[in-house]
């Protein structure tokens, strides 16, 4: 009977050690993630205090909580362009390679031309694309046929500016002018669109929220500018296309202040004025 107690005790000690080991392993795995989030959150709060110490007023909820957008890359997809042209133009569509990476699609309703840098233009047959009372809504529907989601950023008497978005985020550099006449939409001019699905670019990464905030203030100082208030921050993308390689999508913040609008590249921290 005397041997039983020590074994029971030993068994309990072994179980306790196993439980402790599991708890330690769990904390080793989960701990850094929780700690990292806490550190990022603290760094963001310190960055907001830094802004205020520099005389820049900002509501706390204006500063993004985290970096949601990641760098992307897009390979040109000629099949996708052909589908987009056919969907927009309707009818029987023919294609012609015009050299230099330029492809033109024609049907009885007009023509659409795509360039390797994302430039898109269209000449449309008068009356083939009538617009009703809500021109903006109908133009958005036509652009959706081209495979482009977005907003009408500006509406003038004979022109509408369409700005594309991707997964709900604005593509600041992807805008086209939609030309309207009495007979409806007559042309798409002066701009770029993104056709196809980007993939994540693992060769680049974004800075932290806190770093971007501090880089923004330092970048403004380098430009010789000052501001007293940040009114809004809109995350989105800018694109850069090479003639032969893929299109690169870089996440940026568009920052509206009391003295003007700025853009900060969230990969490099570079700041520029937005005209």
């Amino acid at each position: 009977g005397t041997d039983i107690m020590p074994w029971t005790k030993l068994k309990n000690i072994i179980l306790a050690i196993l439980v402790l080991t599991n708890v330690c392993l769990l904390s080793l795995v989960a701990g850094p993630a929780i700690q990292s989030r806490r550190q990022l959150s603290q760094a963001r709060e310190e960055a907001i205090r830094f802004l205020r110490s520099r005389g820049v007023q900002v509501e706390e909820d204006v500063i993004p909580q985290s970096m949601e957008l990641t760098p992307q890359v897009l390979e040109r997809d000629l099949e996708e362009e052909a589908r987009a042209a056919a969907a927009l133009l309707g009818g029987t569509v023919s294609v012609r390679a015009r050299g230099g990476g330029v492809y033109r699609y024609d049907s009885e309703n007009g023509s659409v031309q795509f360039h390797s840098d994302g430039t898109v233009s269209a000449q449309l047959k008068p009356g083939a694309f009538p617009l009703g009372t809500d021109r903006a809504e109908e133009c958005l529907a036509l652009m959706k046929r081209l495979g482009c989601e977005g907003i009408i950023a500006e509406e003038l008497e004979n022109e509408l500016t369409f700005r594309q978005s991707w997964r709900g985020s604005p593509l600041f550099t992807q805008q086209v002018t939609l030309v309207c006449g009495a007979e409806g939409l007559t042309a798409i001019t002066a701009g770029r669109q993104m056709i196809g699905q980007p993939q994540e670019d693992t060769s680049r990464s974004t800075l932290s929220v806190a770093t971007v905030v501090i880089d923004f203030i330092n970048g403004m100082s380098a430009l010789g500018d000052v501001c007293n208030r940040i009114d809004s921050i809109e995350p989105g993308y800018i694109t850069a296309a090479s003639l032969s390689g893929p299109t690169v999508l870089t996440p940026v913040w568009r920052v509206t202040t009391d003295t003007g609008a700025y853009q900060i590249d969230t990969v490099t921290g570079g700041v520029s004025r937005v005209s």
Side-chain angles (χ1 to χ4, degrees):
T2 52
D3 292 337
I4 294 170
M5 280 307 289
W7 169 240
T8 307
K9 275 185 181 171
L10 190 62
K11 201 162 67 170
N12 288 342
I13 290 166
I14 291 166
L15 282 172
I17 290 168
L18 285 171
V19 168
L20 270 173
T21 307
N22 282 336
V23 168
C24 290
L25 283 172
L26 192 65
S27 67
L28 279 172
V29 174
I34 294 163
Q35 199 179 352
S36 172
R37 271 203 300 275
R38 196 177 294 133
Q39 283 171 346
L40 286 172
S41 179
Q42 282 172 350
R44 176 181 171 274
E45 284 163 23
E46 281 166 19
I48 291 167
R49 282 197 288 275
F50 168 78
L51 285 178
R52 290 171 180 162
S53 74
R54 296 285 289 265
V56 180
Q57 292 306 306
V58 62
E59 295 292 330
E60 201 153 321
D61 60 1
V62 166
I63 307 293
Q65 291 284 346
S66 60
M67 287 300 191
E68 302 291 341
L69 305 183
T70 55
Q72 304 284 321
V73 67
L74 174 76
E75 294 287 349
R76 188 178 188 185
D77 188 336
L78 294 175
E79 286 180 20
E80 194 63 39
E81 287 179 3
R83 274 197 294 275
L88 177 71
L89 293 173
T92 306
V93 178
S94 61
V95 60
R96 190 163 76 234
R98 304 189 73 182
V102 180
Y103 289 83
R104 178 174 158 151
Y105 297 85
D106 290 278
S107 90
E108 58 267 30
N109 296 321
S111 66
V112 182
Q113 192 161 283
F114 297 99
H115 296 243
S116 54
D117 66 353
T119 303
V120 176
S121 60
Q123 293 299 319
L124 304 172
K125 185 182 168 188
F129 297 89
L131 298 172
T133 47
D134 194 337
R135 294 187 312 168
E137 274 304 311
E138 301 217 16
C139 282
L140 285 174
L142 282 168
M143 292 309 291
K144 202 168 182 179
R145 273 164 52 180
L146 199 59
C148 301
E149 302 274 350
I151 61 164
I152 299 298
E154 190 180 14
E155 188 169 353
L156 304 173
E157 191 181 345
N158 296 320
E159 290 183 354
L160 290 87
T161 304
F162 172 82
R163 189 180 78 192
Q164 193 177 358
S165 61
W166 178 65
R167 292 183 177 170
S169 297
L171 300 173
F172 295 117
T173 40
Q174 307 308 94
Q175 294 195 162
V176 289
T177 302
L178 306 172
V179 182
C180 306
E183 295 174 297
L185 187 66
T186 58
I188 298 172
T189 64
R192 291 178 177 166
Q193 295 294 271
M194 186 180 80
I195 307 291
Q197 283 302 311
Q199 304 297 317
E200 191 154 345
D201 180 359
T202 51
S203 69
R204 299 182 300 151
S205 59
T206 56
L207 302 165
S208 70
V209 169
T211 304
V212 172
V213 169
I214 292 162
D215 282 352
F216 172 66
I217 292 301
N218 292 337
M220 273 193 77
S221 298
L223 289 171
D225 292 0
V226 290
C227 73
N228 301 308
R229 195 179 67 245
I230 293 175
D231 294 320
S232 67
I233 293 175
E234 187 179 18
Y237 284 99
I238 56 167
T239 67
S242 60
L243 287 173
S244 54
T247 296
V248 173
L249 284 78
T250 300
V252 298
W253 287 0
R254 284 281 172 105
V255 185
T256 307
T257 75
D258 58 326
T259 55
Y262 297 85
Q263 179 176 286
I264 178 159
D265 181 320
T266 67
V267 174
T268 67
V271 176
S272 56
R273 296 185 188 101
V274 176
S275 52

